[in-house]
């Protein structure tokens, strides 16, 4: 019953203010995933046309959700045809984004349930409750469960694979070996780095060989079968990884970045400290993170945790710290594992307290008290985060623009400000080598990811700074709403050309409004609104 109550609370937190920003899209990747899903629906094809993550399972799921939304709308007479549905979705993407976010919230809640199952299997029922509680209220886990991305889905598939691996460790069977391999293949089809979830199986086979439960030849055959089945599952789930291999190679090349605005890493030690002091501290709090470290050490004493949790945890940590980039969302696969470890430490602390000072049978109370003390500030942070997202600086700028920009204006905008679509303005959007394009014209033309990817030409960001300088004349405007200038100004040493482009742009006009995020009250980048005296922007 306690776990069920925690799951209900986890779902409520993930659904709280889940429509933030809409119809504008503050995370541009949400639109990228939805464009791939919508492309399949419109073209009656299983080819999503993009494989950067590869996110195939994510876009397949979104396609099914979009189809359901269309069928409901069609039955109600709102969308007579798929073409009408696509047109409506391009002008109000909330039709697609909101149901997709709800699906991600359900996956996030499923991750909490699977964490409870794993903690219970490894460390007992008290640990199951505590691990579920810590992940349920983790602000990082909650926040990314409200955004259409592949990370949370991949985490769930990884956890299902680990549970199958645990069953195989306890009682080796072909069935559990196949299940573990299949879930690994599905996880990799969702996001490439989750291949690290397979690190548990070789550790399990080595341990079984050492315990003489398997002969060496049997272990080698099992590892070969596991690897082959995972690969076959990957290709069955995402056959276009082979059928469209040229696109796959191009997408992967675009994903490999040495520098990225706001996410450039450093040495392995610097990256480790960044994750510890940033995403992981925000996810678990200082106390939770300290307990997780103790729990990792205690887990090394458990034969099952030693082969199941530690190899995967170590593998992901190594993967994160040796990358050129750092992202908060990359810490997501660590959170269920660290929640297990923290729960183990809490139970050990409670058992020690009972053994030293308290009467037998009170460990539940003590562990629950410790867990509640950790969870309460995290839950409070969740509520603050949810409210702040509804006051994003981009939506503040949109509200200001609607009040102050006259009809007939030409406005350049860098983010996906669909909330401005209905305004009587001409909207321009900078798109890499294509220059500034008419945003409403793009939407009426039903732009898909392929067109955007072609305009990006491998650029990690699409904004005025990365736009081809030769296309500056396409950006004639009366106003500009800049969402990226502040970020380039903060990292001008790493992006001198992009920053210089903005400085030349600012010299053509004057800043008439600035919107900054306030901790605990609003989120988003610094937004600069420019007004140009002459209807010309020069490079």
């Amino acid at each position: 019953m306690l776990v069920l109550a925690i799951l209900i609370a986890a779902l409520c937190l993930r659904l709280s203010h889940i429509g933030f920003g809409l119809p504008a899209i503050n995370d541009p990747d949400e639109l990228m995933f939805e464009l791939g899903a919508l492309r399949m629906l419109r073209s009656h094809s299983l080819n999503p046309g993009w494989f950067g993550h590869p996110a195939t399972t994510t876009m397949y799921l979104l396609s099914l959700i979009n189809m359901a939304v269309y069928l409901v709308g069609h039955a109600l007479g709102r969308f007579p045809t798929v073409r009408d549905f696509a047109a409506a979705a391009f002008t109000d993407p909330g039709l697609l984004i909101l149901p997709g976010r709800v699906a991600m919230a359900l996956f996030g809640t499923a991750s909490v349930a699977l964490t409870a199952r794993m903690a219970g299997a490894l460390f007992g029922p008290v640990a199951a409750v505590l691990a579920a509680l810590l992940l349920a209220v983790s602000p990082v886990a909650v926040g990314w469960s409200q955004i259409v991305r592949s990370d949370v889905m991949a985490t769930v598939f990884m956890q299902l694979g680990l549970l199958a691996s645990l069953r195989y460790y306890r009682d080796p069977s072909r069935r559990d070996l196949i299940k573990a391999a299949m879930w690994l293949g599905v996880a990799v089809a969702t996001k490439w780095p989750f291949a690290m979830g397979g690190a548990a199986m070789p550790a399990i086979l080595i341990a079984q060989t050492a315990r003489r439960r398997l002969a060496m030849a049997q272990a080698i055959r099992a590892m070969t079968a596991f690897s082959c089945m995972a690969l076959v599952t990957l290709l069955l789930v995402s056959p276009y990884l082979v059928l469209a291999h040229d696109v796959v190679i191009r997408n992967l090349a675009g994903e490999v970045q040495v520098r990225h605005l706001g996410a450039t890493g450093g040495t392995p030690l610097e990256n480790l400290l960044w994750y510890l002091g940033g995403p992981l501290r925000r996810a678990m709090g200082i106390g939770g993170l300290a307990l997780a470290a103790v729990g990792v050490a205690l887990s090394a004493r458990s034969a099952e945790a030693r082969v199941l949790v530690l190899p995967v945890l170590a593998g992901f940590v190594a993967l994160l710290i040796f990358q050129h980039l750092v992202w908060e969302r990359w810490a997501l696969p660590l959170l269920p594992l660290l929640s297990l470890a923290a729960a183990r430490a809490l139970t050990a602390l409670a058992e020690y307290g009972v053994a030293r000072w308290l009467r037998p049978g009170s460990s539940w109370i003590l562990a629950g008290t410790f867990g509640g003390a950790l969870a309460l500030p995290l839950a409070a942070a969740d509520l603050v985060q949810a409210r702040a997202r509804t006051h994003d600086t981009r939506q503040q700028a949109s509200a200001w623009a609607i009040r102050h920009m006259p009809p007939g204006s030409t406005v350049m905008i860098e983010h996906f400000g669909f909330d401005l679509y209905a305004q009587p303005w001409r909207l321009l959007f900078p798109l890499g080598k294509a220059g500034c394009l008419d945003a409403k014209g793009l939407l009426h033309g039903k732009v898909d990811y392929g067109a955007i990817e072609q305009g990006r030409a491998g650029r990690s960001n699409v904004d005025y700074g990365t736009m081809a300088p030769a296309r500056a004349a396409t950006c004639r405007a009366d106003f500009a709403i800049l969402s990226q200038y502040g970020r380039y100004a903060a990292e001008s040493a790493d992006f001198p050309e992009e920053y210089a482009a903005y400085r030349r742009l600012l010299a053509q006009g004057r800043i008439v409004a600035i919107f900054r995020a306030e901790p605990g009250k609003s989120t988003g980048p610094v937004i600069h609104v420019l007004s140009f005296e002459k209807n010309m922007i020069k490079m």
Side-chain angles (χ1 to χ4, degrees):
M1 289 298 295
L2 285 175
V3 171
L4 178 59
I6 290 170
L7 292 178
I8 293 172
L11 181 59
C12 290
L13 287 173
R14 284 155 177 76
L15 293 177
S16 177
H17 299 290
I18 199 169
F20 65 92
L22 296 176
I25 300 177
N26 294 337
D27 187 316
D29 286 345
E30 286 193 297
L31 183 61
M32 298 300 100
F33 291 121
E34 284 291 359
L35 285 175
L38 193 58
R39 180 180 186 271
M40 288 188 283
L41 184 61
R42 288 169 49 207
S43 63
H44 307 289
S45 168
L46 292 176
N47 182 3
W50 184 77
F51 307 93
H53 282 196
T56 303
T57 58
T58 305
M59 287 187 278
Y60 282 171
L61 173 64
L62 294 175
S63 292
L64 293 174
I65 293 172
N66 294 346
M67 187 180 299
V69 173
Y70 163 68
L71 290 174
V72 171
H74 180 74
L76 297 175
R78 185 175 178 184
F79 311 125
T81 67
V82 173
R83 185 180 296 273
D84 295 321
F85 172 63
F90 274 118
T91 55
D92 181 11
L95 285 170
L96 308 180
I97 298 295
L98 185 57
R101 287 182 182 176
V102 171
M104 296 304 113
L106 292 173
F107 270 95
T109 306
S111 180
V112 176
L114 292 172
T115 301
R117 281 184 59 187
M118 188 177 296
L122 291 173
F123 306 126
V126 177
V129 172
L130 294 173
L133 178 63
L134 292 177
L135 186 61
V137 299
S138 168
V140 173
V142 171
W144 287 104
S145 296
Q146 295 182 314
I147 294 176
V148 177
R149 293 194 62 89
S150 58
D151 306 79
V152 175
M153 287 183 66
T155 301
V156 168
F157 298 141
M158 178 192 74
Q159 290 177 272
L160 287 167
L162 289 177
L163 284 168
S165 299
L166 176 59
R167 292 193 297 270
Y168 181 81
Y169 176 77
R170 290 177 170 177
D171 182 18
S173 69
R174 183 178 301 175
R175 180 180 179 182
D176 287 323
L177 183 71
I178 291 174
K179 283 186 176 181
M182 291 179 68
W183 283 123
L184 177 62
V186 176
V188 176
T190 308
K191 194 159 187 180
W192 300 111
F194 281 79
M196 196 58 68
M201 187 54 68
I204 287 172
L205 293 172
I206 291 171
Q208 288 177 328
T209 302
R211 295 168 61 189
R212 301 184 183 279
R213 296 182 65 185
L214 286 178
M216 181 62 71
Q218 290 177 305
I220 293 173
R221 286 197 298 270
M223 191 65 219
T224 302
F226 175 80
S227 303
C228 291
M229 181 55 69
L231 179 60
V232 168
T233 302
L234 169 63
L235 296 180
L236 286 175
V237 172
S238 188
Y240 285 92
L241 292 176
V242 174
L243 298 176
H245 61 276
D246 55 331
V247 180
V248 175
I249 294 172
R250 187 164 62 248
N251 292 156
L252 288 177
E255 289 292 306
V256 177
Q257 303 286 336
V258 176
R259 296 182 308 162
H260 194 292
L261 186 64
T264 304
T267 66
L269 178 58
E270 289 171 335
N271 291 346
L272 177 61
L273 293 175
W274 184 88
Y275 279 106
L276 288 174
L280 295 178
R281 178 179 176 179
R282 197 168 83 84
M284 305 188 70
I286 296 177
L289 199 54
L291 283 169
V294 174
V296 168
L298 292 175
S299 297
R301 301 179 183 178
S302 164
E304 292 181 341
R306 191 164 58 243
V307 298
L308 188 75
V309 176
L310 298 188
V312 177
L313 182 62
F316 271 112
V317 169
L319 190 63
L320 295 185
I321 67 174
F322 285 103
Q323 293 280 341
H324 293 294
L325 306 181
V326 290
W327 291 103
E328 181 180 82
R329 60 180 177 268
W330 285 359
L332 285 173
L334 298 179
L335 300 187
L337 305 178
L338 293 177
S339 296
L340 296 177
R344 176 67 186 99
L346 280 170
T347 57
L349 186 61
E351 291 163 3
Y352 176 79
V354 168
R356 291 294 300 271
W357 300 294
L358 303 177
R359 63 186 181 188
S362 59
S363 61
W364 264 94
I365 299 174
L366 190 59
T369 301
F370 290 149
L374 290 175
L376 281 176
L378 298 178
D382 289 328
L383 299 177
V384 172
Q385 172 180 262
R387 288 194 298 268
R389 275 183 164 179
T390 64
H391 298 88
D392 193 274
T393 53
R394 284 157 286 204
Q395 280 71 71
Q396 294 178 38
S398 291
W400 184 94
I402 291 170
R403 292 194 305 269
H404 293 90
M405 295 181 185
S409 297
T410 298
V411 182
M412 183 178 71
I413 184 170
E414 291 189 303
H415 63 277
F416 293 143
F418 288 91
D419 51 346
L420 299 177
Y421 177 85
Q423 299 306 309
W425 308 328
R426 180 171 179 253
L427 297 175
L428 300 178
F429 185 77
L431 190 58
K433 67 179 183 180
C436 279
L437 302 181
D438 186 295
K440 293 183 179 181
L442 280 171
L443 296 177
H444 285 302
K446 300 179 178 62
V447 62
D448 61 17
Y449 186 82
I452 293 179
E453 187 65 18
Q454 184 178 6
R456 286 178 61 178
R459 296 174 176 87
S460 56
N461 285 339
V462 175
D463 49 49
Y464 185 82
T466 60
M467 191 188 68
R471 302 296 294 166
T474 63
C475 295
R476 297 187 181 100
D478 301 306
F479 299 93
I481 302 176
L482 304 179
S483 53
Q484 300 296 328
Y485 166 63
R487 300 173 70 192
Y488 282 112
E491 299 182 44
S492 57
D494 289 331
F495 300 93
E497 296 180 5
E498 292 86 347
Y499 175 65
Y502 280 105
R503 294 304 304 169
R504 290 192 292 269
L505 174 64
L506 265 66
Q508 304 295 316
R510 60 189 179 93
I511 297 174
V512 292
I514 300 178
F515 300 92
R516 292 185 174 88
E518 299 181 57
K521 296 181 179 180
S522 60
T523 59
V526 179
I527 303 293
H528 295 80
V529 182
L530 302 183
S531 176
F532 300 97
E533 295 181 2
K534 296 181 179 180
N535 189 30
M536 176 68 75
I537 298 175
K538 300 179 182 179
M539 292 294 291

